[in-house]
Amino acid sequence: MKGSTYRRCSCRDPKTGKELGTSCPKRNSRNHCTYSIRQELPSREDGSRRSFARGGYGSLKAAQADLDHVRALLGLADSDDPEGTDLIAEMLAEVSRERSPLPEVEETRRRLNAGQDLIGSLTVADWLDRWLMGKRIRKSGLNRYETDIRIHLKPHIGNRRLDRLRVNHLSEMFTDIRDANSQVLEDNAQRRAALDELATVPWKGVENRARRKTMKAAIDEMPPFRRITGPATRQHVKATLRASLNDAIGQQIITFNPAAHVEIDPARKPKALVWTDERVTKWEQTGEKPSPVMVWTPQQTGAFLDFVAEDRLYAMWHLIAFRGLRRGEACGQPWSETNLDTHSLTVSSQLVQDGWDIEASDPKTDSGYRVVALDDDTVDVLKRYRERQDHDREKWGTAWVETGHVFTQEDGSWLHPGKVTDLFERLVGASGLPPIRLHDLRHGAATLMLAAGIDIKIVSDTLGHSDTRITRDIYQSVLPHVGRSAAEATAKLVPLQRKAEAKKAARKAAKKEKARKAAVKIDGKARSKAKAQAKGALGAKRRKPEK
């Protein structure tokens, strides 16, 4: 294809503004003009022409070097590869339009052979949009990805080229996110202080009303209350980016995933703690929970179940407390998968809350599909609940909503998971027991099973975990008496000399104490006998007749 280099003068006529071109009087000066190149490119499918043109070279040598570079790129595609030829031609046309640097020949060859984009102009934001559109997961998961992308990823790295994204770019992003928390906390404190001050201003009086109006206007100008981006959220943002970049590697768009190598603060999950007497006392004094995740003792769990025995949803609280179902699983459990004759139920669906909307969904994970064994008491509780539900069905008549779920509203319609949580919190508050979350009943069920000596694998399967390590890490909250028994059993395994000496000294002390008590007992008997003899002699003397 035709290509050439040529000199060009950009001087213009001061009167007309047109370029002088070959009529420029300085054209023959050595350093006056610049060099340009032009290379014809293969025509488009519709027959329209396209070309590569670039100017501003200071020397003919530099211009010729770039022209050779363009021709080398055109030669990468075989003559019998029209698709490859078109891709390279379109790449060169775009490079010419954008005035961007010519891509390296070998890198372009690698991209062409791998089926990747040749020019690499795809931005992170463009790729994230494309990736999100291709995801086929439940709505709540999509919303979580969309939130991470919209709030964090696009504002910080969205305009960067995908193929040029590096680990240091992500480190800077997470540093900025963490630093922004300080500003959020400061803004929240200022808004809270302004609202507290507003609450002290009386409503009555012209001056007070004017002051309140001014203060309200100032508060409206303040940033709204916001949540900080904690370590767990930052880890989720990283996971979202890592997943999207892995898919980009799978599609051969990029070859390196910087999100897999960036280091950020770990998210430490709070450990579950048991409400011991000491912790309950401190909570009653201060109102503070020792941990966000708290577990009732067996006695406290029993007290709660006794307190809510007459509640319409008692069977649900009972099932979660003993069998550890998740909230959505309990709300979405169908009667068709609940076999009271065989003392089992199969977890096969759940109700998922998305914002305030709810939708039916599959279990959280593949391991969430599971068969849960039921004890006799739980079966009796569910049978009584079913009888009550049958009575409600007759009472509502044609207005009854047949969902087929075990736990429903009074008219048979779906239970809203958010309302179930609110009801549980009110019941806990009314019971006077130390507070726990509804999900903590699941923690409690796991703890009770472990305390009862149930094999960890059975506990894991009952809870629907994919790995027993998850069960150990999250749910193995040791109850006080279980921990003490374990400590005693462990200590007995190690024979220590001081223990033997202590036991020998204790036996010797006990023997000595026994001898002392025996001596005291004998001495006491002797004194009692002597006293009795003395008393008898005195009595005889008194009874002796006078001469």
Side-chain angles (χ1 to χ4, degrees):
M1 294 214 171
K2 293 182 180 180
S4 61
T5 61
Y6 56 93
R7 295 183 68 189
R8 180 178 179 182
C9 176
S10 57
C11 295
R12 296 180 179 274
D13 189 318
K15 295 181 179 180
T16 63
K18 294 181 179 181
E19 289 188 1
L20 295 177
T22 57
S23 62
C24 178
K26 300 180 180 180
R27 178 177 176 80
N28 293 329
S29 299
R30 183 175 181 181
N31 297 323
H32 178 66
C33 295
T34 60
Y35 290 86
S36 299
I37 63 175
R38 184 177 185 86
Q39 175 65 52
E40 289 293 323
L41 302 175
S43 302
R44 297 182 178 88
E45 291 184 1
D46 60 1
S48 59
R49 296 176 60 186
R50 51 188 168 186
S51 63
F52 180 92
R54 179 160 295 181
Y57 297 100
S59 66
L60 177 61
K61 184 178 180 180
Q64 188 63 50
D66 265 11
L67 182 61
D68 293 341
H69 192 161
V70 171
R71 290 171 174 170
L73 291 170
L74 284 172
L76 291 177
D78 296 333
S79 58
D80 58 349
D81 182 12
E83 181 181 1
T85 301
D86 185 69
L87 288 173
I88 293 177
E90 188 60 32
M91 174 199 70
L92 289 171
E94 183 168 341
V95 169
S96 178
R97 288 194 303 270
E98 300 294 331
R99 298 182 180 179
S100 53
L102 285 167
E104 296 294 331
V105 175
E106 290 305 318
E107 174 64 14
T108 304
R109 188 196 307 276
R110 184 192 65 78
R111 287 177 173 272
L112 181 65
N113 294 335
Q116 298 178 356
D117 290 341
L118 297 184
I119 54 177
S121 60
L122 186 68
T123 66
V124 174
D126 293 337
W127 167 248
L128 290 173
D129 288 338
R130 182 194 301 181
W131 174 75
L132 193 61
M133 289 179 61
K135 298 299 290 182
R136 295 295 180 264
I137 58 176
R138 65 189 185 191
K139 187 178 178 182
S140 58
L142 281 176
N143 288 344
R144 186 66 188 270
Y145 282 145
E146 189 276 332
T147 299
D148 291 341
I149 292 171
R150 172 173 49 84
I151 295 180
H152 300 292
L153 296 177
K154 280 188 176 181
H156 288 93
I157 59 173
N159 61 342
R160 292 190 178 276
R161 273 180 48 169
L162 184 64
D163 61 326
R164 296 180 181 176
L165 189 64
R166 297 293 179 262
V167 174
N168 66 296
H169 299 150
L170 305 187
S171 298
E172 293 172 1
M173 175 184 72
F174 285 112
T175 299
D176 292 342
I177 292 174
R178 186 178 64 249
D179 293 345
N181 288 337
S182 300
Q183 186 63 46
V184 171
L185 292 174
E186 182 179 347
D187 292 342
N188 289 347
Q190 291 179 354
R191 187 176 182 87
R192 173 55 58 195
L195 289 172
D196 291 342
E197 183 181 356
L198 178 64
T200 63
V201 179
W203 288 81
K204 294 182 179 181
V206 176
E207 293 183 0
N208 289 333
R209 287 196 294 271
R211 183 184 175 191
R212 291 182 64 87
K213 183 177 181 180
T214 302
M215 293 178 65
K216 285 183 178 180
I219 292 174
D220 291 340
E221 295 296 325
M222 295 181 178
F225 286 118
R226 292 175 291 168
R227 297 174 59 184
I228 63 171
T229 306
T233 302
R234 294 198 292 271
Q235 287 287 350
H236 196 277
V237 172
K238 175 184 174 181
T240 298
L241 181 61
R242 184 174 58 211
S244 67
L245 296 182
N246 279 338
D247 284 358
I249 291 176
Q251 296 184 28
Q252 299 182 330
I253 298 175
I254 57 175
T255 59
F256 173 71
N257 189 342
H261 301 277
V262 64
E263 295 184 1
I264 61 175
D265 298 336
R268 295 180 175 85
K269 293 184 178 181
K271 293 294 183 181
L273 299 178
V274 179
W275 274 116
T276 60
D277 293 340
E278 295 78 9
R279 288 168 180 157
V280 172
T281 300
K282 184 176 179 180
W283 166 73
E284 291 174 342
Q285 294 172 350
T286 64
E288 297 178 358
K289 291 173 60 176
S291 170
V293 182
M294 298 301 298
V295 179
W296 280 333
T297 63
Q299 293 76 17
Q300 292 164 341
T301 301
F304 173 76
L305 293 177
D306 289 339
F307 178 77
V308 299
E310 299 303 320
D311 185 73
R312 191 180 65 85
L313 293 178
Y314 170 78
M316 174 183 280
W317 314 133
H318 183 103
L319 184 63
I320 296 175
F322 284 98
R323 297 285 78 196
L325 265 66
R326 298 179 177 92
R327 179 187 69 171
E329 293 170 346
C331 291
Q333 179 64 28
W335 278 116
S336 61
E337 297 295 334
T338 306
N339 194 328
L340 301 184
D341 294 332
T342 60
H343 286 55
S344 67
L345 62 81
T346 302
V347 178
S348 60
S349 62
Q350 65 174 339
L351 294 185
V352 178
Q353 185 174 337
D354 179 24
W356 193 245
D357 298 329
I358 55 175
E359 61 181 6
S361 176
D362 294 334
K364 185 177 181 181
T365 60
D366 289 340
S367 56
Y369 288 93
R370 64 195 186 277
V371 177
V372 178
L374 303 176
D375 58 277
D376 290 340
D377 186 41
T378 300
V379 169
D380 291 339
V381 167
L382 289 172
K383 285 181 177 179
R384 291 194 297 270
Y385 176 82
R386 185 167 58 183
E387 292 174 358
R388 180 172 182 172
Q389 191 180 68
D390 291 339
H391 176 73
D392 290 340
R393 184 183 287 105
E394 294 177 0
K395 178 181 176 181
W396 282 82
T398 57
W400 176 264
V401 181
E402 190 59 65
T403 61
H405 287 182
V406 175
F407 304 110
T408 65
Q409 298 190 55
E410 292 86 342
D411 64 348
S413 58
W414 283 359
L415 279 176
H416 194 293
K419 292 182 179 180
V420 171
T421 296
D422 293 341
L423 174 60
F424 178 78
E425 292 177 352
R426 291 197 299 271
L427 291 173
V428 172
S431 70
L433 292 164
I436 67 169
R437 305 169 306 160
L438 176 57
H439 194 73
D440 294 339
L441 270 186
R442 175 174 162 87
H443 290 269
T447 303
L448 291 174
M449 285 186 278
L450 293 169
I454 307 300
D455 184 82
I456 189 69
K457 175 60 175 169
I458 297 177
V459 177
S460 181
D461 291 343
T462 301
L463 297 172
H465 289 162
S466 59
D467 196 315
T468 56
R469 289 176 296 182
I470 300 175
T471 311
R472 289 190 179 95
D473 293 344
I474 301 178
Y475 293 106
Q476 202 161 5
S477 304
V478 182
L479 296 171
H481 68 278
V482 178
R484 182 174 178 181
S485 299
E488 293 291 350
T490 303
K492 290 178 181 178
L493 295 176
V494 181
L496 295 176
Q497 185 62 33
R498 61 177 178 80
K499 285 186 178 181
E501 293 176 355
K503 288 183 179 179
K504 184 177 180 180
R507 287 195 297 267
K508 185 176 181 180
K511 187 175 181 180
K512 185 176 181 181
E513 179 64 16
K514 184 177 181 180
R516 186 189 68 79
K517 289 182 178 180
V520 170
K521 186 176 181 180
I522 294 172
D523 187 52
K525 288 182 178 180
R527 287 197 301 270
S528 298
K529 185 176 181 181
K531 188 176 181 180
Q533 290 175 350
K535 186 176 181 180
L538 180 62
K541 184 179 180 180
R542 289 178 178 174
R543 291 193 301 271
K544 187 177 181 180
E546 295 181 359
K547 295 182 177 180

